[in-house]
Short mmCIF file of all heavy atoms in Angstrom, two decimals:
data_model
loop_
_atom_site.label_atom_id
_atom_site.label_comp_id
_atom_site.label_asym_id
_atom_site.label_seq_id
_atom_site.Cartn_x
_atom_site.Cartn_y
_atom_site.Cartn_z
N MET A 182 98.46 26.32 203.00
CA MET A 182 97.02 26.35 202.76
C MET A 182 96.45 27.57 203.49
O MET A 182 96.71 27.77 204.67
CB MET A 182 96.40 25.06 203.31
CG MET A 182 94.93 24.97 203.12
SD MET A 182 94.15 23.42 203.69
CE MET A 182 95.29 22.17 203.22
N ASN A 183 95.70 28.37 202.78
CA ASN A 183 95.12 29.56 203.40
C ASN A 183 93.78 29.24 204.08
O ASN A 183 93.25 28.14 203.95
CB ASN A 183 95.01 30.71 202.39
CG ASN A 183 94.01 30.43 201.29
OD1 ASN A 183 92.97 29.81 201.50
ND2 ASN A 183 94.32 30.89 200.09
N GLU A 184 93.26 30.23 204.77
CA GLU A 184 92.02 30.07 205.54
C GLU A 184 90.83 29.67 204.66
O GLU A 184 90.02 28.84 205.05
CB GLU A 184 91.72 31.41 206.23
CG GLU A 184 91.26 31.30 207.62
CD GLU A 184 91.10 32.69 208.26
OE1 GLU A 184 91.16 33.72 207.59
OE2 GLU A 184 90.91 32.67 209.48
N VAL A 185 90.74 30.28 203.51
CA VAL A 185 89.62 29.99 202.60
C VAL A 185 89.71 28.54 202.13
O VAL A 185 88.73 27.79 202.19
CB VAL A 185 89.61 30.96 201.40
CG1 VAL A 185 88.62 30.52 200.34
CG2 VAL A 185 89.31 32.37 201.87
N GLU A 186 90.88 28.15 201.66
CA GLU A 186 91.07 26.77 201.18
C GLU A 186 90.79 25.77 202.30
O GLU A 186 90.12 24.77 202.08
CB GLU A 186 92.49 26.60 200.65
CG GLU A 186 92.72 25.22 200.07
CD GLU A 186 94.11 25.04 199.47
OE1 GLU A 186 94.90 26.01 199.44
OE2 GLU A 186 94.40 23.92 199.05
N LEU A 187 91.29 26.05 203.49
CA LEU A 187 91.07 25.15 204.61
C LEU A 187 89.58 24.98 204.90
O LEU A 187 89.08 23.85 205.04
CB LEU A 187 91.78 25.67 205.86
CG LEU A 187 91.52 24.88 207.15
CD1 LEU A 187 92.05 23.47 207.03
CD2 LEU A 187 92.14 25.60 208.34
N ASN A 188 88.86 26.09 204.97
CA ASN A 188 87.42 26.00 205.28
C ASN A 188 86.64 25.30 204.18
O ASN A 188 85.72 24.52 204.46
CB ASN A 188 86.86 27.39 205.56
CG ASN A 188 87.15 27.82 206.98
OD1 ASN A 188 86.46 27.42 207.90
ND2 ASN A 188 88.20 28.60 207.17
N ILE A 189 87.00 25.54 202.93
CA ILE A 189 86.33 24.84 201.83
C ILE A 189 86.61 23.35 201.91
O ILE A 189 85.71 22.52 201.78
CB ILE A 189 86.75 25.43 200.47
CG1 ILE A 189 86.15 26.82 200.30
CG2 ILE A 189 86.32 24.50 199.32
CD1 ILE A 189 86.66 27.57 199.09
N ARG A 190 87.86 22.99 202.15
CA ARG A 190 88.22 21.57 202.25
C ARG A 190 87.50 20.92 203.43
O ARG A 190 86.98 19.80 203.31
CB ARG A 190 89.73 21.41 202.39
CG ARG A 190 90.49 21.78 201.11
CD ARG A 190 92.00 21.75 201.31
NE ARG A 190 92.48 20.41 201.56
CZ ARG A 190 92.80 19.54 200.61
NH1 ARG A 190 92.68 19.88 199.35
NH2 ARG A 190 93.25 18.34 200.91
N LEU A 191 87.47 21.59 204.57
CA LEU A 191 86.77 21.04 205.75
C LEU A 191 85.29 20.86 205.47
O LEU A 191 84.68 19.86 205.84
CB LEU A 191 86.97 21.95 206.97
CG LEU A 191 88.36 21.96 207.57
CD1 LEU A 191 88.44 23.01 208.68
CD2 LEU A 191 88.77 20.60 208.09
N TYR A 192 84.68 21.84 204.78
CA TYR A 192 83.25 21.75 204.50
C TYR A 192 82.95 20.64 203.50
O TYR A 192 82.09 19.80 203.74
CB TYR A 192 82.71 23.09 203.97
CG TYR A 192 81.23 23.01 203.74
CD1 TYR A 192 80.35 23.13 204.80
CD2 TYR A 192 80.71 22.71 202.48
CE1 TYR A 192 78.99 22.98 204.61
CE2 TYR A 192 79.35 22.58 202.28
CZ TYR A 192 78.50 22.70 203.36
OH TYR A 192 77.14 22.53 203.18
N LEU A 193 83.63 20.64 202.37
CA LEU A 193 83.31 19.68 201.31
C LEU A 193 83.65 18.24 201.68
O LEU A 193 83.07 17.32 201.12
CB LEU A 193 84.00 20.08 200.01
CG LEU A 193 83.46 21.33 199.32
CD1 LEU A 193 84.25 21.64 198.06
CD2 LEU A 193 81.97 21.18 199.00
N THR A 194 84.56 18.04 202.60
CA THR A 194 84.90 16.68 203.03
C THR A 194 84.02 16.20 204.18
O THR A 194 84.10 15.04 204.58
CB THR A 194 86.37 16.56 203.43
OG1 THR A 194 86.63 17.46 204.52
CG2 THR A 194 87.31 16.85 202.27
N GLY A 195 83.20 17.08 204.75
CA GLY A 195 82.32 16.71 205.84
C GLY A 195 82.95 16.82 207.22
O GLY A 195 82.29 16.61 208.24
N VAL A 196 84.22 17.17 207.27
CA VAL A 196 84.93 17.27 208.55
C VAL A 196 84.37 18.42 209.38
O VAL A 196 84.20 18.31 210.59
CB VAL A 196 86.45 17.43 208.33
CG1 VAL A 196 87.17 17.73 209.63
CG2 VAL A 196 87.01 16.18 207.67
N MET A 197 84.04 19.54 208.72
CA MET A 197 83.53 20.70 209.44
C MET A 197 82.25 20.34 210.21
O MET A 197 82.10 20.71 211.38
CB MET A 197 83.25 21.86 208.48
CG MET A 197 82.79 23.13 209.17
SD MET A 197 82.46 24.46 208.00
CE MET A 197 84.11 24.94 207.55
N LYS A 198 81.36 19.62 209.58
CA LYS A 198 80.11 19.24 210.23
C LYS A 198 80.37 18.34 211.43
O LYS A 198 79.79 18.51 212.50
CB LYS A 198 79.18 18.54 209.23
CG LYS A 198 77.83 18.23 209.81
CD LYS A 198 76.89 17.68 208.76
CE LYS A 198 75.51 17.49 209.36
NZ LYS A 198 74.56 17.04 208.35
N TRP A 200 83.19 18.12 213.27
CA TRP A 200 83.83 18.89 214.34
C TRP A 200 82.86 19.83 215.02
O TRP A 200 82.87 19.97 216.23
CB TRP A 200 85.00 19.70 213.80
CG TRP A 200 86.23 18.90 213.52
CD1 TRP A 200 86.44 17.57 213.79
CD2 TRP A 200 87.41 19.37 212.91
NE1 TRP A 200 87.68 17.20 213.37
CE2 TRP A 200 88.31 18.28 212.83
CE3 TRP A 200 87.80 20.59 212.41
CZ2 TRP A 200 89.58 18.40 212.28
CZ3 TRP A 200 89.08 20.71 211.86
CH2 TRP A 200 89.94 19.62 211.81
N ILE A 216 79.92 29.48 210.77
CA ILE A 216 80.59 29.16 209.51
C ILE A 216 79.92 27.97 208.84
O ILE A 216 79.64 28.01 207.64
CB ILE A 216 82.10 28.90 209.73
CG1 ILE A 216 82.82 30.20 210.10
CG2 ILE A 216 82.74 28.28 208.48
CD1 ILE A 216 84.28 30.02 210.50
N MET A 220 78.10 28.38 205.31
CA MET A 220 78.66 27.65 204.17
C MET A 220 77.65 26.64 203.62
O MET A 220 77.60 26.42 202.41
CB MET A 220 79.98 26.99 204.54
CG MET A 220 81.07 28.06 204.67
SD MET A 220 82.74 27.45 204.84
CE MET A 220 83.03 26.64 203.30
N PHE A 224 76.70 26.76 199.78
CA PHE A 224 76.91 25.64 198.88
C PHE A 224 75.60 25.01 198.41
O PHE A 224 75.53 24.48 197.31
CB PHE A 224 77.85 24.60 199.51
CG PHE A 224 79.30 25.00 199.36
CD1 PHE A 224 79.90 25.85 200.27
CD2 PHE A 224 80.05 24.54 198.29
CE1 PHE A 224 81.22 26.23 200.13
CE2 PHE A 224 81.38 24.91 198.14
CZ PHE A 224 81.97 25.76 199.06
N ARG A 238 89.33 22.57 192.24
CA ARG A 238 90.31 23.60 192.59
C ARG A 238 90.83 23.46 194.02
O ARG A 238 92.02 23.59 194.26
CB ARG A 238 89.64 24.97 192.41
CG ARG A 238 90.54 26.13 192.57
CD ARG A 238 91.26 26.44 191.26
NE ARG A 238 91.94 27.70 191.39
CZ ARG A 238 93.25 27.78 191.69
NH1 ARG A 238 93.96 26.71 191.84
NH2 ARG A 238 93.81 28.96 191.83
N TYR A 239 89.94 23.16 194.97
CA TYR A 239 90.34 23.19 196.38
C TYR A 239 90.50 21.83 197.04
O TYR A 239 91.23 21.72 198.03
CB TYR A 239 89.35 24.06 197.18
CG TYR A 239 89.50 25.50 196.79
CD1 TYR A 239 88.69 26.07 195.82
CD2 TYR A 239 90.48 26.30 197.36
CE1 TYR A 239 88.85 27.39 195.44
CE2 TYR A 239 90.64 27.62 196.99
CZ TYR A 239 89.82 28.16 196.02
OH TYR A 239 90.00 29.46 195.64
N ILE A 240 89.86 20.81 196.55
CA ILE A 240 90.05 19.47 197.12
C ILE A 240 91.15 18.75 196.35
O ILE A 240 92.08 18.21 196.95
CB ILE A 240 88.74 18.63 197.09
CG1 ILE A 240 87.63 19.32 197.88
CG2 ILE A 240 88.99 17.22 197.60
CD1 ILE A 240 87.89 19.43 199.36
N ARG A 242 93.16 20.28 194.34
CA ARG A 242 94.23 21.27 194.27
C ARG A 242 94.80 21.43 192.87
O ARG A 242 96.00 21.57 192.68
CB ARG A 242 95.33 20.94 195.27
CG ARG A 242 94.83 20.93 196.70
CD ARG A 242 95.89 20.63 197.66
NE ARG A 242 96.16 21.88 198.38
CZ ARG A 242 97.00 21.97 199.37
NH1 ARG A 242 97.68 20.94 199.76
NH2 ARG A 242 97.19 23.11 199.96
N ILE A 267 84.18 32.16 196.40
CA ILE A 267 85.37 32.37 197.22
C ILE A 267 85.24 33.69 197.99
O ILE A 267 85.56 33.76 199.18
CB ILE A 267 86.65 32.36 196.35
CG1 ILE A 267 86.77 31.06 195.57
CG2 ILE A 267 87.88 32.65 197.18
CD1 ILE A 267 86.55 29.79 196.37
N VAL A 270 82.94 33.07 200.88
CA VAL A 270 83.59 32.29 201.94
C VAL A 270 84.48 33.22 202.76
O VAL A 270 84.49 33.15 203.99
CB VAL A 270 84.39 31.10 201.37
CG1 VAL A 270 85.26 30.45 202.44
CG2 VAL A 270 83.44 30.06 200.76
N ILE A 274 84.10 33.90 206.85
CA ILE A 274 85.20 33.77 207.80
C ILE A 274 85.41 35.08 208.56
O ILE A 274 85.60 35.08 209.77
CB ILE A 274 86.49 33.33 207.08
CG1 ILE A 274 86.32 31.91 206.53
CG2 ILE A 274 87.70 33.41 208.01
CD1 ILE A 274 87.39 31.51 205.53
#
Side-chain angles (χ1 to χ4, degrees):
M182 180 177 321
N183 66 36
E184 222 175 11
V185 170
E186 183 178 356
L187 174 64
N188 279 280
I189 289 172
R190 291 174 67 86
L191 289 174
Y192 182 80
L193 290 178
T194 60
V196 172
M197 183 181 286
K198 185 174 185 176
W200 284 355
I216 291 173
M220 288 190 64
F224 279 85
R238 186 86 170 97
Y239 291 94
I240 301 295
R242 300 180 109 176
I267 303 313
V270 170
I274 294 167

